[in-house]
Amino acid sequence: MIDEEEYFDEDLIDNLLDADETNITDDEELYEHFRMEVDKGQDAVRIDKFLFERMQHSSRNRIQKAADAGCIHVNGTPVKSSYKVRPNDVITLMLDRPKHDNTIVAEDIPLNVVYEDNEIMVINKPAGLVVHPGAGNFHGTLINAIAWHLRELKDFDPNDPAVGLVHRIDKDTSGLLLIAKTPEAKTFLGKQFFNKTTHRSYTALVWGNFTEEEGRIEGNIGRDPKDRLRMNVFPPDSEIGKPAVTHYRVLERFGYTTLIECTLETGRTHQIRAHMKHIGHPLFGDERYGGTEILRGQRTSTYRAYIQNCLKLCNRQALHAQTLGFVHPITKQQMDFTSELPDDLAAVIEKWRNYINGKQELL
């Protein structure tokens, strides 16, 4: 079993294809953007279902639109969503524009390496650093930094999907990330993420006060049809989006905001951000999901000024990937890491702590 991200880059179809504007005609020159061969033992299954199960960041509806636009080919011929894949089929994504040269170039960008050996690295990523090159961010990413850090390692090719990132976090989320230096390490670690045997917890400051001490959120995560830069939550029994489960527990209450710990069963795009918005507790400072609005508290000018000062202290979603646990691919020993809260998040938490305890003025 292979980690899904070894097959498909994040948001591949969504970044490359706008099905409302793309419609392939017979006389157009086409460019291949992706290729994969179906396993020899694959059962016959609809191609939209087949790709949906392997594309962590695209919805089945989006895949169907790509097929309707003539962009999904099998053995050189465009197919519809109802086509049933067969063993050894070659599936390609064909578009009417050339593929962007996304060769990863080593760049001298500082890295906070928490742990490193011959097989793996654990990195503490700062907020604001894009993890992987993509649309609009082809340079200055964590991957470019890793390529520089490992430039003397002859067997490490940053352009080879068989090595590198095992999982991802958002640009403005800080915290721990796991990198595999060898294909064997990535396959071993990828199985743990797929089988949900790893442990990942996040610390988040969210709007509102919970009535309970802990809870569970279940709801499919899929692209918001009205805003493709945001994710929505859909019913678990729907075919929209990908299944997602988030567990949370209260760490500290500040009246109008709450500090919580989130533990993931799944790792979907914007999962914590979308799930918290869905239950009425957007992450503090999360502009895309409404977290920069004053959602709780007084309507006085003094309180508004206090909130603005808090947002200046932590000018991003208040989310930090704080712990990471997994079994080492060679030693088979349990590895557990904890990252301290970054200064911006620690400062805004302390400001709320002082506010609720009445130890200082709002400003």
Side-chain angles (χ1 to χ4, degrees):
M1 192 174 297
I2 300 177
D3 180 21
E4 291 174 349
E5 289 187 358
E6 292 186 21
Y7 280 150
F8 292 94
D9 231 350
E10 184 172 3
D11 298 334
L12 180 65
I13 286 181
D14 284 340
N15 278 340
L16 296 176
L17 170 67
D18 188 334
D20 295 333
E21 299 178 359
T22 302
N23 190 27
I24 304 301
T25 60
D26 292 338
D27 57 352
E28 281 186 288
E29 182 179 2
L30 301 182
Y31 301 88
E32 182 180 305
H33 284 253
F34 175 79
R35 168 183 293 259
M36 74 168 293
E37 185 172 348
V38 178
D39 293 339
K40 293 180 180 179
Q42 175 65 47
D43 294 331
V45 62
R46 284 174 57 111
I47 195 167
D48 56 345
K49 184 175 187 296
F50 177 82
L51 292 179
F52 172 69
E53 291 174 348
R54 286 159 177 78
M55 299 179 75
Q56 182 176 358
H57 302 284
S58 285
S59 67
R60 189 167 181 176
N61 179 259
R62 194 68 179 164
I63 294 167
Q64 290 169 347
K65 286 185 177 181
D68 291 342
C71 298
I72 296 179
H73 291 209
V74 174
N75 305 324
T77 303
V79 298
K80 296 301 182 182
S81 305
S82 57
Y83 174 85
K84 293 190 175 181
V85 299
R86 299 176 177 85
N88 300 318
D89 272 350
V90 176
I91 302 174
T92 54
L93 174 65
M94 307 297 295
L95 298 179
D96 57 358
R97 50 196 178 273
K99 185 176 182 179
H100 187 280
D101 182 7
N102 56 1
T103 301
I104 295 169
V105 178
E107 298 179 30
D108 188 4
I109 301 169
L111 280 179
N112 182 358
V113 179
V114 176
Y115 175 85
E116 183 175 8
D117 60 29
N118 292 333
E119 285 76 32
I120 65 172
M121 292 172 60
V122 177
I123 292 173
N124 190 16
K125 186 189 84 69
L129 180 62
V130 176
V131 171
H132 197 282
N137 295 288
F138 292 105
H139 300 284
T141 73
L142 180 70
I143 291 296
N144 298 111
I146 292 171
W148 178 271
H149 183 83
L150 299 178
R151 65 192 183 281
E152 303 297 335
L153 189 61
K154 294 181 180 179
D155 293 334
F156 184 85
D157 180 1
N159 295 284
D160 184 357
V163 295
L165 285 172
V166 182
H167 61 119
R168 306 183 188 193
I169 56 179
D170 295 335
K171 170 188 173 183
D172 289 326
T173 298
S174 54
L176 298 171
L177 279 171
L178 179 59
I179 290 85
K181 292 184 177 182
T182 68
E184 295 77 16
K186 187 166 184 181
T187 297
F188 184 87
L189 295 166
K191 288 180 179 179
Q192 294 182 60
F193 277 83
F194 188 88
N195 293 326
K196 305 172 185 176
T197 59
T198 60
H199 175 79
R200 288 178 290 165
S201 71
Y202 294 70
T203 298
L205 181 67
V206 302
W207 278 103
N209 194 9
F210 292 84
T211 57
E212 65 284 346
E213 291 297 320
E214 58 185 32
R216 178 181 186 273
I217 310 168
E218 181 176 5
N220 290 7
I221 302 291
R223 188 75 54 189
D224 186 334
K226 296 180 180 179
D227 182 356
R228 291 178 55 212
L229 297 178
R230 188 169 64 179
M231 308 304 285
N232 260 1
V233 179
F234 302 92
D237 58 352
S238 70
E239 290 191 353
I240 306 174
K242 302 284 280 186
V245 176
T246 302
H247 299 268
Y248 66 89
R249 69 182 184 93
V250 172
L251 299 177
E252 196 169 354
R253 299 176 186 272
F254 305 128
Y256 302 137
T257 60
T258 305
L259 188 66
I260 62 173
E261 177 190 71
C262 294
T263 305
L264 303 181
E265 280 191 26
T266 53
R268 309 304 181 197
T269 301
H270 296 187
Q271 178 171 321
I272 293 174
R273 300 167 67 187
H275 270 172
M276 285 299 151
K277 166 73 172 179
H278 180 65
I279 64 170
H281 295 281
L283 269 63
F284 188 83
D286 191 349
E287 183 175 9
R288 191 165 302 285
Y289 291 88
T292 56
E293 302 294 327
I294 299 178
L295 301 178
R296 301 289 192 282
Q298 308 159 11
R299 297 298 174 182
T300 64
S301 59
T302 304
Y303 182 72
R304 287 197 299 271
Y306 165 75
I307 295 299
Q308 290 306 312
N309 282 346
C310 286
L311 293 172
K312 289 178 182 177
L313 278 177
C314 187
N315 188 24
R316 62 174 177 105
Q317 66 258 16
L319 182 63
H320 179 66
Q322 188 152 23
T323 69
L324 175 63
F326 55 91
V327 175
H328 193 279
I330 299 299
T331 68
K332 304 302 187 291
Q333 296 296 311
Q334 177 68 31
M335 307 284 287
D336 293 294
F337 299 91
T338 300
S339 167
E340 291 186 2
L341 293 177
D343 291 343
D344 61 346
L345 185 52
V348 78
I349 291 171
E350 185 63 19
K351 194 168 184 67
W352 274 104
R353 185 178 290 128
N354 290 334
Y355 167 62
I356 199 64
N357 290 334
K359 292 181 180 178
Q360 66 178 29
E361 296 296 329
L362 292 183
L363 299 179

